Amino acid sequence: MTDNTHEQDGAAVLQRQVHFTADLLRSLQESIHRLRNAAEELREQLETTGGDEATGARAQISRLEGLIRDCQKVEKVIAEQSTEFARMLKSEHELDLGAARAAVECGLSRLRAALAPELLLG
C-alpha cells in the first residue's frame, strides 16, 4: 500500500470516529437534558406538596438541586465538545489533503520536466 492509501484509510477511520463521538455527545446531551427536566419537575412537586421534615422533603429537594446543577455542568461541557466536533467536521470538508497532495505532486512533476536532465542527475 502507498502512503496515500494509508492516509486515506486513516482519514476514513478518523472521520468515522468523529461522527460516532458526535452522535454519542448528542445522545448524552439529550439524556442529561431529560434527567435535568425530570429532576426539576420532581423538585417543584416536592416544594408544592410542602412535605414536612419527617418525610425528608427538604433533604430530597437539596439533593435534586445538586443533581440539577451537575446536569447543567455536564450539559455545558457537552455543548462545548459538540461545538468543537462541529468545527472539526466543517474543517474536514474544507481541507482535502488528497487533493492538496495531488496538486503538489503535479507541480513537482512539471518542475522536474522543465529542468534539464543534467540538473536532475546532479
Side-chain angles (χ1 to χ4, degrees):
M1 257 188 222
T2 66
D3 286 338
N4 194 19
T5 303
H6 285 298
E7 286 176 13
Q8 288 174 349
D9 290 345
V13 168
L14 179 61
Q15 183 179 15
R16 284 192 302 274
Q17 288 173 335
V18 167
H19 283 287
F20 175 79
T21 305
D23 287 342
L24 180 60
L25 284 172
R26 274 190 293 277
S27 176
L28 285 170
Q29 189 172 25
E30 291 168 5
S31 296
I32 292 294
H33 183 74
R34 284 192 305 271
L35 176 61
R36 181 175 51 83
N37 286 339
E40 287 173 349
E41 288 174 15
L42 184 54
R43 182 195 65 199
E44 288 174 13
Q45 288 174 3
L46 286 171
E47 288 174 344
T48 303
T49 58
D52 59 14
E53 265 318 299
T55 63
R58 286 200 177 128
Q60 290 175 342
I61 290 171
S62 178
R63 284 192 293 265
L64 284 170
E65 287 173 345
L67 176 61
I68 290 166
R69 282 190 300 277
D70 290 344
C71 287
Q72 289 169 334
K73 289 175 189 175
V74 171
E75 284 177 302
K76 181 181 179 227
V77 170
I78 290 173
E80 290 167 355
Q81 290 299 313
S82 294
T83 300
E84 179 65 18
F85 273 91
R87 185 194 60 74
M88 288 172 62
L89 287 173
K90 183 177 183 243
S91 66
E92 171 189 319
H93 296 296
E94 293 172 353
L95 183 62
D96 184 355
L97 296 178
R101 176 187 289 275
V104 169
E105 288 174 352
C106 182
L108 287 173
S109 293
R110 285 195 307 264
L111 183 60
R112 283 188 206 103
L115 293 175
E118 62 272 8
L119 294 176
L120 288 176
L121 297 174

